[in-house]
Amino acid sequence: MIIKTKNLCLRHWHKSDAESLYNLAKNPNIGPVAGWPPHKSIDYSLNIINTVFARDECYAVTKNDDLIGCAELLIHPDTNHWWGEDSAELGYWIGSQYQGRGYASEASKALISRAFNQLNIKRIFATYKSENIQSKRVLEKLGFEYYSQLNNIDYLNRPFREIAVILEK
């Protein structure tokens, strides 16, 4: 599956993306704020591509054939939380050198359209760590509204507060 937008191409992940993924995801300012550890090696990134990113609605976000991030619709049982029937969870991240250009919003809009118009999803949820103001802004631009606050545990077993938002068809 390939989804094209004005500036981006969303496509499924390839094993050949491992080095590019590693170069983006090793940055300690990317993963931890999104809830995952910085990548430690190209092999680690390849394992993520072969497992976590192998889901049907997980896309490499590219611009001019360069990998710039990831966007995904998580559908039960692959969601981080149970949101109910006909629901999905939106997740995304953009490499630090590509942030601030609207790419997270552009990629997410494409997945929201796919969810509502092709996958029969009625509600899309997203969560962000309370300190992740950039993600909050992206979700507000997309029309998400406050849903609730949740307590969670990060990959280092530390508690954190996350904000859940919802967008309904």
Side-chain angles (χ1 to χ4, degrees):
M1 164 74 70
I2 294 176
I3 302 169
K4 293 194 181 240
T5 68
K6 179 181 175 190
N7 298 299
L8 305 173
C9 177
L10 284 66
R11 60 161 174 80
H12 287 127
W13 288 87
H14 305 143
K15 291 177 183 182
S16 60
D17 292 325
E19 185 174 356
S20 295
L21 173 59
Y22 169 68
N23 287 327
L24 294 174
K26 69 182 178 182
N27 184 327
N29 296 319
I30 300 295
V33 75
W36 44 268
H39 289 203
K40 303 172 192 86
S41 67
I42 294 171
D43 284 341
Y44 181 89
S45 294
L46 178 60
N47 183 54
I48 294 297
I49 289 169
N50 288 331
T51 56
V52 178
F53 291 175
R55 295 185 285 242
D56 289 343
E57 295 301 322
C58 185
Y59 298 91
V61 178
T62 64
K63 176 160 178 63
N64 300 326
D65 294 326
D66 293 328
L67 179 67
I68 67 165
C70 179
E72 179 175 20
L73 287 170
L74 296 103
I75 299 170
H76 185 75
D78 294 320
T79 53
N80 294 309
H81 304 282
W82 167 244
W83 301 109
E85 294 294 328
D86 302 322
S87 297
E89 188 174 330
L90 175 69
Y92 54 83
W93 61 267
I94 298 294
S96 60
Q97 62 268 49
Y98 303 103
Q99 292 178 358
R101 300 179 195 173
Y103 297 147
S105 296
E106 187 173 337
S108 295
K109 278 182 191 172
L111 290 187
I112 290 166
S113 176
R114 176 165 168 69
F116 288 157
N117 298 318
Q118 297 172 348
L119 300 177
N120 297 316
I121 298 296
K122 307 272 188 284
R123 289 167 305 286
I124 301 173
F125 292 84
T127 64
Y128 60 91
K129 287 186 173 184
S130 57
E131 66 272 15
N132 189 346
I133 302 305
Q134 286 177 299
S135 197
K136 177 184 180 185
R137 284 191 203 122
V138 167
L139 294 164
E140 286 173 345
K141 276 192 240 176
L142 294 168
F144 281 81
E145 296 179 353
Y146 177 84
Y147 182 74
S148 69
Q149 292 187 36
L150 306 166
N151 293 316
N152 210 334
I153 304 291
D154 72 9
Y155 64 94
L156 294 174
N157 209 29
R158 296 177 304 204
F160 71 92
R161 195 88 167 137
E162 66 183 334
I163 309 301
V165 293
I166 184 172
L167 182 67
E168 296 187 81
K169 184 173 183 179

